[in-house]
Amino acid sequence: MNKEILVIGDSILDETVVSTVAGTSLETPTLKTTYDSSKINFGGAANVVSHLLALGCNVTFLTFLGNDSYLNQYEKLKSKNLSFIPTKLDMENTVKTRYWIKSGEACYKYLQINRGKRQAYAKTTIEGLLSPVAIQSRYDCALLVDYSLGMLDNIDGVNLILQKLNHLGCPVLASSQLSSNNNNYPLFKGVDYMCMNFNEALANLHDFDGSPSSIKQLASHLKTNVCVTLGKSGFIFFNDGKIIKKDGFKVNCIDPVGAGDAFLAAFAVHMNKNLELCNKWAALSTTKMGTETPNISELYDD
């Protein structure tokens, strides 16, 4: 694609542990399993970066990382097309460990344990993060990826970043995971684009129903062009007064974790053309366990 993309956001490590049912304990009704495998992939903004690289983009990535035992995992995030500029701080890295259990032909996600806490960053820390972004830099798009870890979930930090991005003259696309977090989309009002799922749209417009009239109201409320993903039903996109709706892409879904990150990356690349590829790329990501990226050849297979 040869697009130049700037990504600023919260990094997460996604650990997947797989085991096989062995029975239950004699003393207590505790499930016993035998260990099969484990792997660590990238989550959050780092996952978005992985998808952008897989889609052929040149990426500049700014994030905060903790100086702990998980720091060396980020050494694996490398590519000739990546300029990775982390700011290392005295804190824990955010890690989400998901335990999968196999029983016969079935495999179930049994437990998730999260590690790491939200941080409050000083103005000078945010300014330091942004210092590598030169005003003369040229980007096709800047992505703000918020996972409520402190960088992009307070108005002062967001305003500092948006002020810097205004000098770059490129469109800004914001995404914020709701899940069990606060609704942070109002912090990004007025950016060029927002991308969110159906539940996040409901948090911003209580009667959102995925219809053309409701996407128009949502865009007016947030003062931006907005794309809402609708799961298997695809997405609806309000773009400069035009409403675009694309159906979903059917696959054998194994794990939906990270599908939003996959869609966001593809949307940054294809938002002005080939929008159906956004659905396909996100759907392909669900055919992998954990946050693995598809191969770009899969995107163009019939």
Side-chain angles (χ1 to χ4, degrees), residues 1-245:
M1 295 300 174
N2 295 321
K3 285 201 169 186
E4 297 284 343
I5 309 290
L6 171 64
V7 178
I8 302 174
D10 299 310
S11 288
I12 296 170
L13 292 173
D14 277 289
E15 183 176 24
T16 302
V17 180
V18 181
S19 62
T20 299
V21 170
T24 56
S25 170
L26 293 176
E27 297 82 8
T28 62
T30 302
L31 183 65
K32 295 193 299 184
T33 66
T34 56
Y35 173 84
D36 290 330
S37 64
S38 63
K39 60 183 178 181
I40 294 180
N41 292 318
F42 299 110
N47 188 31
V48 175
V49 169
S50 294
H51 283 281
L52 288 168
L53 293 172
L55 289 165
C57 298
N58 298 314
V59 183
T60 299
F61 181 31
L62 307 181
T63 191
F64 293 128
L65 296 181
N67 190 18
D68 64 8
S69 60
Y70 283 94
L71 179 60
N72 63 354
Q73 293 293 330
Y74 285 97
E75 295 175 2
K76 301 173 186 176
L77 186 59
K78 58 177 64 175
S79 166
K80 63 182 178 61
N81 297 325
L82 173 64
S83 178
F84 184 21
I85 313 172
T87 298
K88 299 173 185 177
L89 302 173
D90 184 19
M91 65 180 193
E92 285 187 316
N93 283 297
T94 299
V95 183
K96 296 182 179 180
T97 304
R98 298 177 176 91
Y99 295 88
W100 289 74
I101 297 178
K102 294 192 296 184
S103 177
E105 296 297 318
C107 191
Y108 304 95
K109 194 186 307 181
Y110 190 75
L111 177 68
Q112 176 174 320
I113 298 177
N114 295 343
R115 177 183 186 275
K117 299 178 180 179
R118 180 191 181 278
Q119 302 292 316
Y121 298 112
K123 178 180 178 180
T124 53
T125 305
I126 298 289
E127 289 172 339
L129 173 80
L130 299 173
S131 60
V133 180
I135 292 177
Q136 66 268 25
S137 297
R138 293 292 180 264
Y139 299 102
D140 294 296
C141 183
L143 268 65
L144 301 180
V145 186
D146 172 42
Y147 270 77
S148 292
L149 298 180
M151 184 192 308
L152 294 168
D153 58 0
N154 71 83
I155 190 64
D156 293 331
V158 170
N159 284 342
L160 272 174
I161 292 170
L162 290 179
Q163 287 169 16
K164 183 73 171 184
L165 295 183
N166 284 340
H167 292 290
L168 299 180
C170 63
V172 177
L173 167 60
S175 180
S176 178
Q177 188 193 53
L178 182 61
S179 186
S180 56
N181 303 317
N182 294 325
N183 173 30
N184 292 331
Y185 279 97
L187 299 178
F188 302 99
K189 276 188 178 182
V191 299
D192 300 284
Y193 300 92
M194 290 185 189
C195 191
M196 64 187 69
N197 62 33
F198 183 81
N199 288 332
E200 289 157 356
L202 275 177
N204 288 282
L205 186 70
H206 74 277
D207 56 352
F208 181 82
D209 59 6
S211 66
S213 60
S214 64
I215 192 74
K216 184 176 180 180
Q217 291 178 54
L218 181 64
S220 176
H221 174 65
L222 293 172
K223 297 180 173 58
T224 183
N225 298 301
V226 60
C227 181
V228 178
T229 56
L230 305 171
K232 296 179 181 179
S233 298
F235 69 82
I236 187 166
F237 178 28
F238 181 92
N239 187 22
D240 292 332
K242 184 178 179 181
I243 297 174
I244 303 166
K245 180 122 175 15

